[in-house]
Amino acid sequence: MTTPAPGRPTPGRPGPGTPGPGAPGQAGSAPGPRAGAPDSPGTAHTVLSGADIGRVLTRMAHQILEKTAGGNGVVLLGIPTRGVPLARRLADRVRAVEGVELGVGSLDPTMHRDDLQLRAVRPLAVTDLPDGGIDGRTVILVDDVLFSGRTVRAALDALAQFGRPRVVQLAVLVDRGHRELPIRADYVGKNMPTSRQEAVAVRLTETDGRDAVMILSEGAGR
Amino acid sequence: MTRRGDTAGGPAHEAGRWHLRGVRPLGGDPVDLLLDGGIIAEAGRDLSAVGATVLDADGLVALPGLVDLHTHLREPGREDAETVASGTRAAALGGFTTVFAMANTEPVADTAGVVEQVWRLGRDAGHCDVRPVGAVTEGLRGTRLAELGAMASSAAAVRVFSDDGNCVSDAVLMRRALEYVKAFDGVIAQHAQEPRLTEDAQMNEGAVSARLGLPGWPAAAEEAIIARDALLAGHVGSRLHVCHVSTAGSVELLRWAKSKGWRVTAEVTPHHLLLTDDLVTSFDPVYKVNPPLRTAADVAALRAGLADGTIDCIATDHAPHAPQDKETEWMAARPGMVGLETALSIAIMTMLETGLLDWAGLADRMSVAPGRIGGLPGGLTGGRANALAGGQAGGQAGGHHHPPVAGSRPSRAAAHDVHPAGAGALSLSAGAVANLVLVDPVARWTVDAGALASRGRNTPYAGRKLPGRVQATFLRGRPTVLDGKIA
Amino acid sequence: MMRHLLSTQDLGRDDALLVLDTAEYMATVAGRSVKKLPTLRGRTVVNLFFEDSTRTRTSFELAAKRLSADVINFSVRGSSVSKGESLKDTAQTLEAMGADAVVCRHPASGAPHRLAAWVRGSVLNAGDGIHEHPTQALLDAFTIRRRLGRVEGLSVTIVGDVLHSRVARSNVWLLSTLGASVTVVAPPTLVPVGVEQWPVAVSYDLDAVLPTSDVVMMLRVQRERMTAAFFPTEREYSRRYGLDADRLAAMPPSALVMHPGPMVRGMEIASDVADSTRSTVVEQVANGVSVRMAVLYLLLGGTREVP
């Protein structure tokens, strides 16, 4: 698998290794990237297998080491739910590769979202910053799917409550396009052009019992 | 119900000749009734009556006109809540031909002047007879007797005296009142509520009040007064009537008092036969009433007591209120419910459909007995209500019988009587005064608070489907209600 | 999540835990340099107080402001039950102001329930008559959980004027929903008729229950109860039901002493007990803000439509 250069993803442009678009969607609201959905074999289209995810994360760990001069002063903050185990896995891989111990924690951006009133009230997740805080550090926000960019924007605001990092970067497992804000990721596991009617479902062993990334079409039992 | 023939009676407010075809008196076999000259002129099968308006009443149950011993008409003083005219329209629609108007008006009905005013307003409205209740004490204050004799000998010929809303709590004053009204065969209708035990009381004291944090109105506060007053009535040989009995314990005390042969009677409201205190959980003041809604066990005891005659009659305690007195927080709301237009339906639901009373029994509890207690003419001939009912036992199977209340009516009062037609006003026999109600026993109707004739909208039954619909009411042979509407 | 918070009786175990968990998050905000979140920007919270209570009003006000809501304090002074008909008019006024939430304190039990029928926004009961005070119970449960790690399985003893206490009622339902075993202790005159239907044990003997209590919650006893013959004298009440140093010593070493405030020192609680390290009185105040932030967020933080 070739490594896609980080950069502004263009919606609709097929990324390397990307299969064709998923099943044609139906009109309707676009489901959020993080919404849990029951897997529907036959209608869900698996894009990344467990092994693929492992390889992608290893590659991202290397990129992080490369871009941060060996992980010096880096704190990985996972955005709940699935960004948190992803942050831990990246930290594990960095340790395995370089023996460097990155700070790991979680950051719940819910209270800073600008779209709260569009949905039922969301339960809050844990915000847990590593000892030493974030002042002057390189904070890498980690999430599973980058979609509209609103979650990341909220996370940036939430982060400001806790201090002033030297640099903030963004790492995502999947970039599915359709940005609504001027936000881009520094580390992308896979660019995955999708239609708005589709949903990208990330499954991780820690939260779901298995590793997979799927595209669900609107009719796929959502 | 269809009507045909000439309207021989002329204007609706005059009694004409009415030929009621196929009515079932007290739910018995169908007969025809001919109303003429304000009385039931003939009763029998296949009557022919030339010149009479024919009312095809096939299948409708005929009952003697209902009598309500306990109505609040609010006039004078709170005409925004009810007037004599609006309240008596509601009464007629509910099948009533007589209502006793409670004394807690503004000014209080504690003088001959006020009771005569109410009586005249009722007579002029013409929807049903209005018998004013006189206050026992001046201004309902419970300190000095009102001029009971003056009210008795007024045009209103008051026989029932009550401070309803307030209890005559002073034992000596109560004793004197009981004694004093013997002179004109009056009766004291007591609102049994020990005042100190019910300060700020908001609802039945029990599991629900404990949960809701509303100050409790203990059953004992009612029962203590009933026990005391029964002892007093027994001691001085006077008539006591207990208003709106609400607890199982009260039923027991009444049973005991009657077993002593004391002249004690009692009423129960329709709402206490049906509703329970758990409704208060909504904090909707439509359920606020005094005495308060009690428990299911109390409801069962009240029904049983009414069935076996321990409780003599149903009385509505019709208590209309202006919206601002009900659409508020519970503790600020006034107690009371409207009831005239739903009383018969609730009685059918709770007593007839449960098999506790038959139609004759219902007629006794809603017409004959309250008429007797209130001293209406014909009230003493209640037994005749069964005359056309095909030999059905009146009331509960087994027919508990009270000794008829003795005492003749003083001639002075008779001279002023609102309907001097003599005996039989509460009977369906030939020769009886033609006060009767025709009920569709199978019809069901949904209560629409906004469509009530009463000015009060405070019905706890809004949206409920109730059995039994009043189709026609006749007052001395004149229809006050036809086709379920004011005639 | 619920639309209103009127009573802890309506609160299921999951909802109650959601409030407590959310309050944990809110508590962290208090420790930050910027104690403000943008969450309820554009939302209007009205504090509608028919009864003076500076501490409760301030707590709600601070909670709403920390969530960036606009706060309007609407005090209806000198209001009494006899003037209660203005409640509906007031509700219509609040509707016209576009209140998203109304925090209502009222001397009449059930007034917030009525208000909820008349306004579109959420109604938070901030204490109604002698009925309920749900956020007080939630902050008490939160305080217990923070100090002792759990609520489930604990023995909580509530002491004092249970009959007239909205705090007691709210705590009885909430703590038993959360799995605590609750005992109420009071002179029999101050226990409501009908208490046998409550999920509690009743005792008239404080000394008998103290050794097995994990939490002892003292209720305020108003002196005017004495004149209504609920108990003979202040001295006798204090001797039989007051928490003093000797009684504190009879409690397990880890047991907490709680009081919803305001305290009548020397009556139901001795001064040295109120100020001891076992007392959570001051924490309760701080936790009140966190719990009220949690409730405001859960009531106002989502869409109005039912999902």
Side-chain angles (χ1 to χ4, degrees), chain A residues 34-53:
Chain A
R34 209 186 309 274
D39 296 355
S40 309
T43 51
H45 185 84
T46 300
V47 184
L48 293 181
S49 68
D52 293 339
I53 291 174

PDB file of all heavy atoms in Angstrom, chain A residues 34-53:
ATOM      1  N   ARG A  34     -19.337   8.852  13.847  1.00  0.00           N
ATOM      2  CA  ARG A  34     -19.066   8.092  15.048  1.00  0.00           C
ATOM      3  C   ARG A  34     -20.272   7.275  15.489  1.00  0.00           C
ATOM      4  O   ARG A  34     -20.179   6.500  16.427  1.00  0.00           O
ATOM      5  CB  ARG A  34     -18.651   9.031  16.167  1.00  0.00           C
ATOM      6  CG  ARG A  34     -17.724   8.413  17.178  1.00  0.00           C
ATOM      7  CD  ARG A  34     -17.518   9.394  18.302  1.00  0.00           C
ATOM      8  NE  ARG A  34     -17.141  10.702  17.763  1.00  0.00           N
ATOM      9  CZ  ARG A  34     -15.891  11.022  17.480  1.00  0.00           C
ATOM     10  NH1 ARG A  34     -14.933  10.175  17.687  1.00  0.00           N
ATOM     11  NH2 ARG A  34     -15.610  12.215  17.014  1.00  0.00           N
ATOM     12  N   ALA A  35     -21.392   7.473  14.814  1.00  0.00           N
ATOM     13  CA  ALA A  35     -22.589   6.777  15.278  1.00  0.00           C
ATOM     14  C   ALA A  35     -22.402   5.281  15.179  1.00  0.00           C
ATOM     15  O   ALA A  35     -21.975   4.761  14.164  1.00  0.00           O
ATOM     16  CB  ALA A  35     -23.782   7.205  14.445  1.00  0.00           C
ATOM     17  N   GLY A  36     -22.695   4.613  16.241  1.00  0.00           N
ATOM     18  CA  GLY A  36     -22.581   3.161  16.235  1.00  0.00           C
ATOM     19  C   GLY A  36     -23.666   2.574  15.367  1.00  0.00           C
ATOM     20  O   GLY A  36     -24.772   3.089  15.309  1.00  0.00           O
ATOM     21  N   ALA A  37     -23.381   1.550  14.649  1.00  0.00           N
ATOM     22  CA  ALA A  37     -24.393   0.921  13.812  1.00  0.00           C
ATOM     23  C   ALA A  37     -24.181  -0.577  13.861  1.00  0.00           C
ATOM     24  O   ALA A  37     -23.045  -1.043  13.920  1.00  0.00           O
ATOM     25  CB  ALA A  37     -24.286   1.411  12.385  1.00  0.00           C
ATOM     26  N   PRO A  38     -25.269  -1.286  13.856  1.00  0.00           N
ATOM     27  CA  PRO A  38     -25.095  -2.733  13.832  1.00  0.00           C
ATOM     28  C   PRO A  38     -24.493  -3.135  12.496  1.00  0.00           C
ATOM     29  O   PRO A  38     -24.835  -2.591  11.457  1.00  0.00           O
ATOM     30  CB  PRO A  38     -26.525  -3.253  13.995  1.00  0.00           C
ATOM     31  CG  PRO A  38     -27.421  -2.131  13.600  1.00  0.00           C
ATOM     32  CD  PRO A  38     -26.669  -0.875  13.843  1.00  0.00           C
ATOM     33  N   ASP A  39     -23.573  -4.033  12.542  1.00  0.00           N
ATOM     34  CA  ASP A  39     -22.981  -4.503  11.295  1.00  0.00           C
ATOM     35  C   ASP A  39     -24.013  -5.315  10.539  1.00  0.00           C
ATOM     36  O   ASP A  39     -24.702  -6.137  11.102  1.00  0.00           O
ATOM     37  CB  ASP A  39     -21.763  -5.394  11.584  1.00  0.00           C
ATOM     38  CG  ASP A  39     -20.672  -4.589  12.261  1.00  0.00           C
ATOM     39  OD1 ASP A  39     -20.845  -3.356  12.391  1.00  0.00           O
ATOM     40  OD2 ASP A  39     -19.681  -5.206  12.672  1.00  0.00           O
ATOM     41  N   SER A  40     -24.116  -5.063   9.261  1.00  0.00           N
ATOM     42  CA  SER A  40     -25.049  -5.828   8.453  1.00  0.00           C
ATOM     43  C   SER A  40     -24.261  -6.517   7.355  1.00  0.00           C
ATOM     44  O   SER A  40     -23.990  -5.910   6.338  1.00  0.00           O
ATOM     45  CB  SER A  40     -26.105  -4.928   7.828  1.00  0.00           C
ATOM     46  OG  SER A  40     -26.681  -4.132   8.820  1.00  0.00           O
ATOM     47  N   PRO A  41     -23.831  -7.739   7.557  1.00  0.00           N
ATOM     48  CA  PRO A  41     -23.052  -8.438   6.538  1.00  0.00           C
ATOM     49  C   PRO A  41     -23.854  -8.475   5.243  1.00  0.00           C
ATOM     50  O   PRO A  41     -25.052  -8.686   5.244  1.00  0.00           O
ATOM     51  CB  PRO A  41     -22.880  -9.845   7.107  1.00  0.00           C
ATOM     52  CG  PRO A  41     -23.230  -9.743   8.560  1.00  0.00           C
ATOM     53  CD  PRO A  41     -24.168  -8.594   8.689  1.00  0.00           C
ATOM     54  N   GLY A  42     -23.202  -8.227   4.170  1.00  0.00           N
ATOM     55  CA  GLY A  42     -23.903  -8.256   2.889  1.00  0.00           C
ATOM     56  C   GLY A  42     -24.184  -6.857   2.395  1.00  0.00           C
ATOM     57  O   GLY A  42     -24.083  -6.606   1.204  1.00  0.00           O
ATOM     58  N   THR A  43     -24.509  -5.919   3.290  1.00  0.00           N
ATOM     59  CA  THR A  43     -24.770  -4.556   2.857  1.00  0.00           C
ATOM     60  C   THR A  43     -23.616  -3.651   3.275  1.00  0.00           C
ATOM     61  O   THR A  43     -23.404  -2.618   2.663  1.00  0.00           O
ATOM     62  CB  THR A  43     -26.063  -4.017   3.455  1.00  0.00           C
ATOM     63  OG1 THR A  43     -26.032  -4.240   4.859  1.00  0.00           O
ATOM     64  CG2 THR A  43     -27.267  -4.709   2.856  1.00  0.00           C
ATOM     65  N   ALA A  44     -22.907  -4.040   4.334  1.00  0.00           N
ATOM     66  CA  ALA A  44     -21.736  -3.269   4.730  1.00  0.00           C
ATOM     67  C   ALA A  44     -20.551  -3.713   3.881  1.00  0.00           C
ATOM     68  O   ALA A  44     -20.395  -4.887   3.575  1.00  0.00           O
ATOM     69  CB  ALA A  44     -21.429  -3.491   6.206  1.00  0.00           C
ATOM     70  N   HIS A  45     -19.728  -2.730   3.518  1.00  0.00           N
ATOM     71  CA  HIS A  45     -18.621  -2.993   2.624  1.00  0.00           C
ATOM     72  C   HIS A  45     -17.342  -2.776   3.405  1.00  0.00           C
ATOM     73  O   HIS A  45     -17.037  -1.662   3.831  1.00  0.00           O
ATOM     74  CB  HIS A  45     -18.744  -2.013   1.457  1.00  0.00           C
ATOM     75  CG  HIS A  45     -17.743  -2.242   0.396  1.00  0.00           C
ATOM     76  ND1 HIS A  45     -17.919  -3.169  -0.614  1.00  0.00           N
ATOM     77  CD2 HIS A  45     -16.532  -1.668   0.177  1.00  0.00           C
ATOM     78  CE1 HIS A  45     -16.864  -3.145  -1.398  1.00  0.00           C
ATOM     79  NE2 HIS A  45     -16.011  -2.251  -0.944  1.00  0.00           N
ATOM     80  N   THR A  46     -16.598  -3.843   3.646  1.00  0.00           N
ATOM     81  CA  THR A  46     -15.378  -3.711   4.442  1.00  0.00           C
ATOM     82  C   THR A  46     -14.267  -3.106   3.595  1.00  0.00           C
ATOM     83  O   THR A  46     -13.955  -3.602   2.516  1.00  0.00           O
ATOM     84  CB  THR A  46     -14.935  -5.070   5.001  1.00  0.00           C
ATOM     85  OG1 THR A  46     -15.991  -5.563   5.828  1.00  0.00           O
ATOM     86  CG2 THR A  46     -13.666  -4.946   5.814  1.00  0.00           C
ATOM     87  N   VAL A  47     -13.708  -2.026   4.115  1.00  0.00           N
ATOM     88  CA  VAL A  47     -12.673  -1.309   3.376  1.00  0.00           C
ATOM     89  C   VAL A  47     -11.285  -1.608   3.936  1.00  0.00           C
ATOM     90  O   VAL A  47     -10.309  -1.706   3.194  1.00  0.00           O
ATOM     91  CB  VAL A  47     -12.945   0.204   3.442  1.00  0.00           C
ATOM     92  CG1 VAL A  47     -11.942   0.956   2.591  1.00  0.00           C
ATOM     93  CG2 VAL A  47     -14.356   0.506   2.968  1.00  0.00           C
ATOM     94  N   LEU A  48     -11.223  -1.704   5.273  1.00  0.00           N
ATOM     95  CA  LEU A  48      -9.951  -2.072   5.899  1.00  0.00           C
ATOM     96  C   LEU A  48     -10.181  -3.270   6.801  1.00  0.00           C
ATOM     97  O   LEU A  48     -11.106  -3.266   7.609  1.00  0.00           O
ATOM     98  CB  LEU A  48      -9.388  -0.920   6.747  1.00  0.00           C
ATOM     99  CG  LEU A  48      -8.908   0.361   6.047  1.00  0.00           C
ATOM    100  CD1 LEU A  48      -8.375   1.350   7.095  1.00  0.00           C
ATOM    101  CD2 LEU A  48      -7.841   0.052   5.022  1.00  0.00           C
ATOM    102  N   SER A  49      -9.327  -4.241   6.678  1.00  0.00           N
ATOM    103  CA  SER A  49      -9.403  -5.399   7.564  1.00  0.00           C
ATOM    104  C   SER A  49      -8.617  -5.097   8.831  1.00  0.00           C
ATOM    105  O   SER A  49      -7.959  -4.050   8.937  1.00  0.00           O
ATOM    106  CB  SER A  49      -8.809  -6.620   6.863  1.00  0.00           C
ATOM    107  OG  SER A  49      -7.420  -6.404   6.725  1.00  0.00           O
ATOM    108  N   GLY A  50      -8.644  -6.015   9.769  1.00  0.00           N
ATOM    109  CA  GLY A  50      -7.864  -5.851  10.987  1.00  0.00           C
ATOM    110  C   GLY A  50      -6.382  -5.706  10.668  1.00  0.00           C
ATOM    111  O   GLY A  50      -5.696  -4.849  11.223  1.00  0.00           O
ATOM    112  N   ALA A  51      -5.900  -6.534   9.756  1.00  0.00           N
ATOM    113  CA  ALA A  51      -4.478  -6.478   9.397  1.00  0.00           C
ATOM    114  C   ALA A  51      -4.158  -5.140   8.734  1.00  0.00           C
ATOM    115  O   ALA A  51      -3.108  -4.530   9.008  1.00  0.00           O
ATOM    116  CB  ALA A  51      -4.134  -7.641   8.475  1.00  0.00           C
ATOM    117  N   ASP A  52      -5.073  -4.659   7.883  1.00  0.00           N
ATOM    118  CA  ASP A  52      -4.868  -3.359   7.235  1.00  0.00           C
ATOM    119  C   ASP A  52      -4.726  -2.258   8.275  1.00  0.00           C
ATOM    120  O   ASP A  52      -3.851  -1.385   8.178  1.00  0.00           O
ATOM    121  CB  ASP A  52      -6.066  -3.011   6.337  1.00  0.00           C
ATOM    122  CG  ASP A  52      -6.174  -3.946   5.127  1.00  0.00           C
ATOM    123  OD1 ASP A  52      -5.156  -4.562   4.764  1.00  0.00           O
ATOM    124  OD2 ASP A  52      -7.299  -4.047   4.580  1.00  0.00           O
ATOM    125  N   ILE A  53      -5.589  -2.296   9.248  1.00  0.00           N
ATOM    126  CA  ILE A  53      -5.554  -1.250  10.283  1.00  0.00           C
ATOM    127  C   ILE A  53      -4.220  -1.274  11.007  1.00  0.00           C
ATOM    128  O   ILE A  53      -3.603  -0.229  11.263  1.00  0.00           O
ATOM    129  CB  ILE A  53      -6.730  -1.433  11.276  1.00  0.00           C
ATOM    130  CG1 ILE A  53      -8.049  -1.114  10.554  1.00  0.00           C
ATOM    131  CG2 ILE A  53      -6.569  -0.533  12.505  1.00  0.00           C
ATOM    132  CD1 ILE A  53      -9.290  -1.380  11.377  1.00  0.00           C
TER     133      ILE A  53
END
